[in-house]
Amino acid sequence: MEIPIFIVDAFTNVPFKGNPAAVCLIENELQDNLYQSIAAEMNLSETAFITKRNSMDFSSGARFGLRWFSPKSEVPLCGHATLASAAVLFYLKKNVNPVVVFETMSGELHVRQHEESLIMDFPLNKPKPQVQHEIKDLLKAAVGDLPIQDVCYSPTTKKLMIRLADTCNRSELTSLRPETETLLRNETTGKIKSLIITLKETQTTQTGYDFYSRVFAPWVGVPEDPVTGSAHTVLAGYWSEKLEKKKMMAYQCSSRGGEVKLEIRDDDRLDIIGQAQIILQGTLKI
């Protein structure tokens, strides 16, 4: 069996930045263990699998199945690998439709082109306040002695969000080095699958960004995720209320960097806007 495979850098307009995802085009559904084996072999934060629907091909079809796997497990929602999947369909397969629809574990996700960007219609996952003393050891492992302003949790995505105090700066966020084993040792309940650390942009800078973030997900085999759209469904829900804005620009402070534009719509869903670069294409032989 031969499977077309691509590597796409998401949330960037240049190669080797943003978040790389593998994308596979699947003619017929595979066994779950094979999906997982391929994702483990790719060893990227996520590998996406696009499946045809209604016997349409990848160039003319408007509806596809989409699943995402980390090196360790299937995940219910992944933003950067969805962006990467749409890039393969629109840019390489020259899909003729103005919008493609992905059927996923998180419902239907619509993606459309707009100029040089792709716009993803995602659910908005507003986090809820979390009692800090219940997870004080995990917080200490994540941010050390840096002051914390808020801690929130999204039960839908199983993401814990830590907002650093406004007295902190971007360099302190960038300098954090939480140890994977320490994070794993301090969270064994399965309640948390990903840890987001975020910081408000100060008014004294002129970067154009509203907030910064980093994402750590050792519980699914990803020590640090360079840029992830699923985390931004939580970040957008939080920061829109704090900043009283529906349109925001975010920057991911990972070593690869990445820009994400966020627009909260009137139907309480979220447009995640970004660019993508396809850097490799080949064939898996199984």
Side-chain angles (χ1 to χ4, degrees):
M1 176 170 51
E2 294 188 347
I3 297 173
I5 187 167
F6 312 87
I7 294 180
V8 184
D9 289 340
F11 295 116
T12 180
N13 61 356
V14 294
F16 314 123
K17 296 292 184 181
N19 198 351
V23 178
C24 296
L25 300 180
I26 306 297
E27 296 287 339
N28 299 292
E29 290 285 358
L30 308 175
Q31 295 293 322
D32 281 357
N33 62 343
L34 185 51
Y35 287 118
Q36 191 61 70
S37 294
I38 293 171
E41 183 77 10
M42 293 303 99
N43 201 30
L44 296 171
S45 56
E46 269 81 24
T47 297
F49 298 89
I50 308 174
T51 308
K52 294 192 300 185
R53 290 286 188 263
N54 302 323
S55 300
M56 301 291 285
D57 62 31
F58 294 106
S59 299
S60 60
R63 182 174 291 270
F64 302 92
L66 181 62
R67 298 175 71 178
W68 313 276
F69 286 76
S70 80
K72 285 190 175 181
S73 62
E74 185 169 12
V75 297
L77 181 65
C78 181
H80 84 278
T82 303
L83 192 76
S85 298
V88 169
L89 294 179
F90 283 127
Y91 301 156
L92 279 184
K93 305 307 290 185
K94 306 299 182 184
N95 193 284
V96 298
N97 296 284
V99 179
V100 294
V101 181
F102 294 117
E103 300 171 1
T104 79
M105 291 175 63
S106 295
E108 291 187 353
L109 303 178
H110 297 234
V111 187
R112 67 187 188 275
Q113 295 187 80
H114 179 68
E115 297 176 350
E116 297 181 350
S117 297
L118 296 169
I119 302 177
M120 303 187 295
D121 171 3
F122 264 47
L124 183 65
N125 295 300
K126 296 181 179 179
K128 300 177 181 179
Q130 169 76 41
V131 179
Q132 295 189 30
H133 73 80
E134 295 179 353
I135 52 170
K136 58 182 175 55
D137 292 337
L138 179 61
L139 298 179
K140 177 74 172 180
V143 303
D145 294 325
L146 290 180
I148 295 171
Q149 182 149 334
D150 281 327
V151 178
C152 297
Y153 175 72
S154 169
T156 304
T157 63
K158 294 188 175 181
K159 296 184 186 298
L160 182 75
M161 191 207 77
I162 303 171
R163 175 186 172 183
L164 297 177
D166 293 345
T167 54
C168 297
N169 57 45
R170 177 176 168 179
S171 65
E172 289 175 300
L173 173 61
T174 304
S175 298
L176 286 175
R177 297 290 184 270
E179 294 183 358
T180 293
E181 292 305 319
T182 306
L183 293 177
L184 291 173
R185 187 169 60 250
N186 284 287
E187 165 49 39
T188 59
T189 66
K191 175 183 175 182
I192 297 169
K193 297 296 185 183
S194 181
L195 175 67
I196 306 166
I197 306 175
T198 187
L199 175 69
K200 180 183 176 181
E201 170 62 290
T202 63
Q203 295 180 351
T204 58
T205 59
Q206 302 295 325
T207 63
Y209 302 118
D210 294 290
F211 61 87
Y212 303 102
S213 63
R214 293 178 69 186
V215 179
F216 303 90
W219 299 276
V220 295
V222 182
E224 181 169 4
D225 210 345
V227 198
T228 172
S230 59
H232 282 87
T233 69
V234 177
L235 288 162
Y238 174 84
W239 280 115
S240 65
E241 294 183 351
K242 299 299 180 181
L243 300 173
E244 297 183 343
K245 297 176 69 173
K246 286 197 170 185
K247 295 184 179 181
M248 293 166 285
M249 180 69 78
Y251 184 79
Q252 194 96 1
C253 290
S254 66
S255 60
R256 294 175 61 100
E259 291 187 343
V260 185
K261 185 177 180 181
L262 305 165
E263 295 186 6
I264 296 178
R265 306 197 322 236
D266 291 337
D267 59 359
D268 215 27
R269 285 181 65 87
L270 175 68
D271 281 344
I272 302 177
I273 305 164
Q275 298 183 345
Q277 300 291 312
I278 300 170
I279 63 166
L280 183 149
Q281 55 183 312
T283 304
L284 278 175
K285 295 185 178 181
I286 301 172

